[in-house]
């Protein structure tokens, strides 16, 4: 285990089983849809890659870079699109793939953004959800795991750009950021 990790919250094996469950649901729900998976970079990279390989359906994929965090552990509340999708979302069934929902600001913004661009439907798949910290109500369609109010890293999730390459989700030691 990495020296800055207090505890492994979700092991690699548990992540695999979460991904399989969500992939099966997506296969069922999107069978006759015009699907476009949109990963929110960079945090969703591992989840998106595993999900798109595990599901049986074919889907177009794209990515958005939306930023609401500086280098801290709190959302600033203002969301900016740093990099947009590179294709039209009009008439598409969008599945936003996210690493974790915290305040909800990022997804609230992204759902409204794609709806304004005339997507046919917009759903959300998130690996993790921290509902205790929600500031805006979000309808989430696929949730991997509800977790307590702890700052977690690994499997794509970072703290100040570190720890993304860890193969598990771990709770970061408070001494690292306080
Ligand atoms: P929200 O807009 O507050 O819901 O924040 C969502 C984004 O904040 C996620 O996509 C993550 O990039 C980041 N985030 C929130 N909580 C954590 C965490 O515990 N670890 C790492 N990143 C987090
Ligand atoms: Mg993110």
């Amino acid at each position: 285990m990495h020296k800055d990790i207090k505890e492994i919250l979700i092991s690699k094996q548990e992540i695999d089983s979460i991904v399989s469950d969500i992939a099966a649901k997506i296969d069922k729900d999107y069978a006759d849809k015009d699907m476009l998976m949109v990963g929110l970079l960079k945090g969703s990279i591992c989840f998106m890659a595993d999900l798109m390989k595990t599901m049986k359906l074919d889907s177009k994929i794209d990515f958005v870079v939306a930023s609401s965090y500086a280098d801290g552990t709190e959302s600033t509340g203002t969301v900016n699109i740093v990099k947009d999708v590179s294709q039209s979302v009009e008439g598409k069934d969008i599945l936003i793939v996210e690493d974790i929902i915290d305040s909800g600001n990022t997804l609230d913004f992204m759902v409204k953004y794609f709806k304004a661009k005339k997507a046919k439907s917009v759903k959300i798949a998130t690996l993790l959800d921290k509902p205790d910290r929600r500031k805006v109500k979000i309808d989430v369609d696929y949730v991997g795991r509800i977790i307590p109010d702890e700052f977690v890293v690994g499997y794509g999730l970072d703290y100040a750009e570190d720890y993304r390459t860890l193969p598990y989700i771990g709770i970061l030691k408070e001494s690292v950021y306080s």
Side-chain angles (χ1 to χ4, degrees):
M1 193 166 82
H2 191 289
K3 66 173 175 45
D4 294 344
I5 299 298
K6 185 162 83 179
E7 180 191 324
I8 294 180
L9 193 63
I10 313 179
S11 69
K12 190 174 181 300
Q13 288 79 356
E14 287 171 300
I15 292 172
D16 288 346
S17 116
I18 290 170
V19 169
S20 297
D21 288 350
I22 295 181
K25 288 184 183 130
I26 291 171
D27 278 334
K28 200 164 148 263
D29 296 350
Y30 282 85
D32 49 5
K33 298 218 155 49
D34 189 8
M35 187 178 188
L36 172 62
M37 288 174 91
V38 179
L40 300 193
L41 292 176
K42 297 170 224 170
S44 73
I45 174 100
C46 296
F47 182 43
M48 173 91 166
D50 283 345
L51 199 56
M52 63 191 248
K53 287 185 294 179
T54 307
M55 62 187 217
K56 295 190 178 70
L57 284 179
D58 193 13
S59 170
K60 295 186 178 68
I61 66 160
D62 216 317
F63 297 95
V64 163
V65 179
S67 115
S68 74
Y69 276 59
D71 274 354
T73 59
E74 292 283 329
S75 167
T76 59
T78 318
V79 181
N80 297 304
I81 293 195
V82 180
K83 182 225 162 284
D84 204 344
V85 289
S86 59
Q87 57 200 288
S88 170
V89 302
E90 190 173 339
K92 297 264 169 55
D93 294 297
I94 307 288
L95 179 65
I96 302 176
V97 180
E98 174 63 308
D99 52 358
I100 184 166
I101 312 181
D102 188 35
S103 69
N105 287 323
T106 308
L107 282 173
D108 180 56
F109 179 90
M110 290 311 308
V111 169
K112 287 175 181 155
Y113 182 77
F114 288 135
K115 284 188 173 160
K117 294 208 159 192
K118 303 203 177 92
K120 188 174 173 195
S121 67
V122 184
K123 287 190 178 188
I124 296 166
T126 187
L127 178 66
L128 306 173
D129 186 6
K130 281 201 271 194
D132 294 350
R133 292 181 39 101
R134 197 74 90 252
K135 293 199 178 103
V136 259
K137 192 185 167 295
I138 297 281
D139 292 320
V140 195
D141 304 277
Y142 310 97
V143 182
R145 177 78 73 83
I146 291 173
I147 65 164
D149 182 9
E150 301 269 14
F151 199 82
V152 293
V153 294
Y155 192 67
L157 287 89
D158 74 311
Y159 171 67
E161 297 300 329
D162 283 323
Y163 314 108
R164 290 194 198 272
T165 58
L166 300 178
Y168 50 80
I169 302 280
I171 299 175
L172 190 62
K173 284 181 183 165
E174 273 156 47
S175 55
V176 176
Y177 56 86
S178 57

